[in-house]
Amino acid sequence: MRKFRAPSPYLIALAGIAGAGVTAGAKYFIQSRSRRAHRSAISLPPSIAENIRPWVVFNPSKHDDPQEFRNSLTMDARALGVRDIHFIETSIADPGVSQARKAVRAGATHVIAAGGDGTVRAVAAGLAHTGVRMGILPEGTGNVLARNLGLPLDSPLDALAVALGESTHRVDLAWLRMVDPEERFNLPCEGKLLAGVASSHPSSSDEAALALDDEFPFVTLAGMGFDGETMSKTDPELKKNIGWAAYVLSAINSLDVPRMGARLRGQAAHGGDDSSEFTARCVLFANCGDLPVITLAPEASLHDGLLDVIAVDTQVGLVGWADLSLKVFSQSLGLPQVNTPVSPADLSIRQVRECELELDQPAVVEVDGDAIGRSAKVAVRIDQGALLIAG
């Protein structure tokens, strides 16, 4: 009788890569059909176009010629029957919070975030609970929120038509705070920016009540460990040149992150307490489930008032990461994902309304793709229905 030989790590890795290709192709086809269907239903009746006052908050670094962007979008707006459109630029010091609030105070009926996920996050913080419609012109690498809403990704005119249209979604906004962080990176904190807006307009305290001055918002995903390392190591110039593949290269360079002991305490979806201890290389907090080529949290929803906490662990080197890839790709195709006692990878998901996570060592923390610091403990909460987003 021939002895059974376990497949080599390289064969397992090859299977993982093949699975990635199949999954990417399937998801691209499904998402493209969804966006085409969405686009075919676009219309902007004259009665609407004549009565809206849109402001566009845009990141000038996304354009070689910001003025050309203004001119082009103004022409697109006029093609839709909109004559009055205003523009305001973000800055390194303020990626969109005070700009969004300024637009609201100026009487904007729609405030459109034109940029990547960082711009979308900041504008969302500025628009929370204002009741003003938020639109998105996706110009980033991931465009994760736009993908989850099925928005047009490759046509500014189509995206603008959706942003100015009547269809809207109530969307949750999540907030994360590093507790006694070991290090804060040089990234503006939207909670602090909101506090600054409130202090400059003493007649209103709404902004200060939205968040603590050390809280960072996120609309899609936050994480610690492997996820944070990946984002912190991603080269911005490489993202411009090769897009999403830059994250893949960074992820490969982050595979050696240590396993961490974790303790989670929070309020579960059903209202009771949720307390657990586990080991993980990465812990994620998801407000939505879809990334460009995978589904990370199949049950995650942008409007259910819940966060999906995803604990990811691997062992046995490359074999563990390959097994994890197969699990993720399987669930991306709608297949059940099973963890067994002998599996070299574990992927578990639980839903909470708010939580505190404490690790046995500091790890890099990221929100919506931006690394914000290094901490062993974070507090995360969800603000249900804080945003009204066109789509």
Side-chain angles (χ1 to χ4, degrees):
M1 182 180 295
R2 297 178 62 184
K3 294 182 66 176
F4 171 76
R5 290 187 179 182
S8 73
Y10 301 102
L11 184 59
I12 296 175
L14 184 60
I17 293 171
V22 172
T23 305
K27 285 188 69 63
Y28 178 80
F29 175 73
I30 294 170
Q31 291 175 348
S32 295
R33 288 191 62 185
S34 173
R35 286 193 289 271
R36 284 197 297 271
H38 198 157
R39 185 178 308 162
S40 66
I42 290 171
S43 64
L44 200 60
S47 59
I48 294 177
E50 293 170 359
N51 295 292
I52 60 177
R53 298 177 302 280
W55 281 61
V56 179
V57 180
F58 75 101
N59 183 349
S61 71
K62 296 291 183 181
H63 305 278
D64 293 332
D65 186 344
Q67 186 57 49
E68 173 59 28
F69 167 74
R70 292 172 183 251
N71 295 341
S72 177
L73 203 63
T74 297
M75 292 179 63
D76 286 343
R78 288 177 178 171
L80 295 169
V82 178
R83 298 294 175 183
D84 185 21
I85 185 167
H86 301 272
F87 295 86
I88 185 169
E89 296 185 4
T90 65
S91 65
I92 294 176
D94 189 335
V97 175
S98 66
Q99 293 89 336
R101 285 285 170 170
K102 179 179 179 180
V104 171
R105 290 196 171 94
T109 57
H110 300 66
V111 177
I112 302 170
D117 292 325
T119 303
V120 171
R121 179 182 74 246
V123 172
L127 293 179
H129 293 292
T130 63
V132 174
R133 294 185 181 183
M134 176 179 173
I136 300 173
L137 296 184
E139 297 180 336
T141 304
N143 301 316
V144 177
L145 182 58
R147 292 175 188 275
N148 278 267
L149 291 172
L151 304 182
L153 299 178
D154 53 3
S155 169
L157 176 60
D158 289 341
L160 182 63
V162 173
L164 299 176
E166 294 182 283
S167 177
T168 58
H169 303 270
R170 275 289 174 188
V171 172
D172 303 340
L173 179 63
W175 292 89
L176 179 146
R177 179 171 64 92
M178 297 186 293
V179 180
D180 298 325
E182 179 183 81
E183 181 181 5
R184 295 184 186 273
F185 296 163
N186 188 27
L187 192 74
C189 176
E190 284 82 0
K192 188 173 183 178
L193 291 172
L194 281 172
V197 172
S199 65
S200 63
H201 295 83
S203 60
S204 173
S205 60
D206 292 345
E207 290 88 352
L210 287 173
L212 299 176
D213 64 5
D214 59 352
E215 282 188 306
F216 290 83
F218 63 97
V219 289
T220 61
L221 194 73
M224 303 177 72
F226 169 73
D227 181 59
E229 289 284 350
T230 296
M231 298 306 168
S232 69
K233 292 179 179 178
T234 302
D235 185 342
E237 288 301 317
L238 199 59
K239 283 201 299 181
K240 290 182 180 180
N241 293 328
I242 65 173
W244 187 259
Y247 290 116
V248 177
L249 295 177
S250 180
I252 293 172
N253 291 327
S254 302
L255 293 178
D256 60 349
V257 295
R259 301 178 74 207
M260 306 170 293
R263 176 181 298 175
L264 180 75
R265 295 188 297 273
Q267 183 183 15
H270 54 73
D273 292 335
D274 186 343
S275 179
S276 58
E277 296 186 11
F278 50 89
T279 302
R281 292 189 188 271
C282 176
V283 182
L284 299 163
F285 307 95
N287 192 31
C288 57
D290 286 338
L291 296 179
V293 297
I294 60 173
T295 296
L296 198 57
E299 302 300 320
S301 168
L302 284 163
H303 50 76
D304 61 359
L306 300 173
L307 285 166
D308 286 44
V309 182
I310 308 164
V312 177
D313 192 26
T314 67
Q315 300 183 69
V316 201
L318 183 61
V319 174
W321 287 108
D323 185 46
L324 174 66
S325 299
L326 290 173
K327 291 179 187 295
V328 173
F329 299 144
S330 294
Q331 75 176 18
S332 298
L333 293 174
L335 303 175
Q337 176 264 124
V338 180
N339 294 313
T340 66
V342 296
S343 174
D346 184 86
L347 179 67
S348 62
I349 303 175
R350 54 178 60 79
Q351 292 186 318
V352 300
R353 297 188 182 278
E354 61 182 19
C355 67
E356 284 190 351
L357 177 72
E358 186 170 6
L359 306 177
D360 62 6
Q361 57 191 290
V364 177
V365 183
E366 66 89 11
V367 291
D368 283 341
D370 289 327
I372 61 173
R374 188 181 299 273
S375 182
K377 186 176 181 180
V378 296
V380 190
R381 63 183 178 88
I382 194 82
D383 187 359
Q384 186 170 12
L387 302 169
L388 185 64
I389 299 184

